[in-house]
Amino acid sequence: MLRDADIALHQAKARGKDYPYVLFDSAMYDRMVMTMQLERDLRHALERQEFQVFFQPIVNLATGRVKGFEALARWRHPERGLVSPADFIPLAEETMLILPLGRQVLAESCRRLAAWTRSCPGRMPITVSVNLSSKQLLDADLVVAIGRLLTETGCDPALLELEITESVLIDNSDAARALLNSLRDLRIRLSLDDFGTGYSSLSYLHQFPFDTIKIDRTFIQPMEHNASRLEIVRAIVALARALGKTVVAEGLETREQVERLTELGCDFGQGYYFARP
Ligand code: C2E
Ligand code: MG
Ligand code: MG
């Protein structure tokens, strides 16, 4: 009973001030056991290097050429097969294992970037975009670690992009701004990911030094059947261009979507229509 009461107490605390109490049920216990197993598995996976980085091309819509790749983490679980980030990033963030995991993804991405740059001399340089979690932005060593990685791998910092979601900026905007400015001082480019899904996104456009806006796929996919979505996408593209920012449309799955975004003047596209990660 004490154990169960403790589990309910944790739930109540996690839900915040509006929940003065929570009633225990057995599903809570099952969830806790699953989370603990997953956390243990995550630690092992880091030691055994079970994480891999997949790359998805980002295509220049006007020319059809690949401009770069987004790095997306995957977990090759010995029993469960390929686990998607939606199933392990939240727990990795909660347990702060996202710090070593994020470093592995960054290191692998820089190694790939360096290898691609070397193997295609004379070609327009390829960029690599890496997702940063809010927890990584709290890591005081982040800027130094990235700077060191770039030097060790011999990557041009201007070819590395870091993707940050809006929700990160809400809680901690002063610290985030300082950190983003230090990254910019290294000449790294910054993307505002999942644009439109958070709140007060518009103020972020001038408060933070973003080069690129990525329109979330929840705006792109209903566009064909929903006139107001289309108008929102049109307005985002126009706004980004007026502010001198590059725009990437996420989640392009059909030729119609690609054609429509090209007509709207969107610079780049990413999605299953071109390639899966
Ligand atoms: P994201 O950064 O917005 O990445 C784009 C997601 O959309 C990827 O999901 C990608 O596979 C998916 N996607 C791309 N094209 C299409 C399409 O045409 N249709 C559909 N339905 N989906 C498409 P994924 O790889 O499952 O990653 C999900 C999220 O997990 C990412 O969203 C990102 O926020 C996070 N994530 C992934 N890797 C990392 C990482 O290394 N570090 C951190 N902090 N987060 C990561
Ligand atoms: Mg992203
Ligand atoms: Mg996104």
Side-chain angles (χ1 to χ4, degrees):
M1 279 171 72
L2 282 172
R3 183 201 68 196
D4 293 349
D6 201 43
I7 293 170
L9 175 69
H10 266 93
Q11 289 284 319
K13 281 185 178 166
R15 289 183 200 180
K17 284 198 291 289
D18 295 339
Y19 288 85
Y21 66 89
V22 160
L23 282 180
F24 174 81
D25 66 51
S26 61
M28 254 177 226
Y29 175 75
D30 298 340
R31 261 202 314 277
M32 193 201 64
V33 171
M34 250 188 56
T35 307
M36 279 169 62
Q37 273 167 359
L38 192 64
E39 183 180 342
R40 193 198 52 204
D41 286 359
L42 260 181
R43 286 183 196 283
H44 286 165
L46 275 166
E47 286 158 16
R48 297 187 202 131
Q49 313 239 326
E50 284 170 10
F51 291 101
Q52 286 188 339
V53 186
F54 280 38
F55 292 90
Q56 185 178 35
I58 300 172
V59 174
N60 182 323
L61 293 178
T63 63
R65 297 192 67 164
V66 172
K67 164 241 182 208
F69 296 89
E70 176 171 8
L72 294 159
R74 297 287 182 269
W75 178 5
R76 217 172 261 291
H77 193 285
E79 286 125 43
R80 295 202 288 162
L82 212 55
V83 184
S84 90
D87 297 324
F88 64 84
I89 297 279
L91 184 67
E93 288 181 332
E94 208 177 292
T95 54
M96 289 313 251
L97 289 171
I98 192 72
L99 296 187
L101 173 57
R103 292 276 174 98
Q104 284 189 7
V105 174
L106 270 165
E108 173 64 11
S109 301
C110 288
R111 280 195 292 271
R112 278 302 180 90
L113 176 57
W116 283 327
T117 308
R118 272 197 308 270
S119 64
C120 310
R123 190 200 183 282
M124 262 287 283
I126 289 280
T127 61
V128 168
S129 310
V130 181
N131 293 286
L132 273 196
S133 146
S134 55
K135 298 294 187 293
Q136 284 173 280
L137 292 189
L138 301 174
D139 175 4
D141 293 333
L142 182 74
V143 177
V144 174
I146 293 180
R148 198 181 308 130
L149 256 176
L150 289 167
T151 316
E152 278 166 15
T153 50
C155 287
D156 179 355
L159 300 179
L160 179 66
E161 286 198 10
L162 298 176
E163 299 193 357
I164 291 142
T165 56
E166 294 171 277
S167 56
V168 170
L169 307 170
I170 295 165
D171 312 331
N172 219 326
S173 55
D174 284 341
R177 194 179 7 254
L179 190 127
L180 296 185
N181 281 323
S182 330
L183 291 169
R184 275 293 295 270
D185 292 342
L186 291 178
R187 288 177 38 244
I188 293 168
R189 294 173 61 88
L190 300 172
S191 299
L192 187 52
D193 204 355
D194 306 337
F195 184 76
T197 59
Y199 51 87
S200 59
S201 0
L202 292 178
S203 64
Y204 293 143
L205 288 181
H206 66 86
Q207 271 186 46
F208 298 100
F210 288 107
D211 306 282
T212 301
I213 295 173
K214 296 190 84 172
I215 310 176
D216 194 67
R217 70 165 182 272
T218 51
F219 289 98
I220 304 296
Q221 292 181 345
M223 200 175 60
E224 283 154 285
H225 316 287
N226 184 323
S228 63
R229 289 288 164 149
L230 173 65
E231 290 312 317
I232 291 176
V233 173
R234 189 197 304 279
I236 298 176
V237 173
L239 177 69
R241 301 199 72 145
L243 294 174
K245 312 214 183 266
T246 311
V247 208
V248 180
E250 297 190 294
L252 295 179
E253 290 185 358
T254 66
R255 207 178 65 199
E256 289 70 36
Q257 288 165 347
V258 173
E259 284 168 358
R260 191 43 71 83
L261 265 309
T262 312
E263 280 164 26
L264 292 181
C266 181
D267 306 290
F268 300 103
Q270 178 183 352
Y272 297 169
Y273 176 76
F274 298 112
R276 293 193 174 240

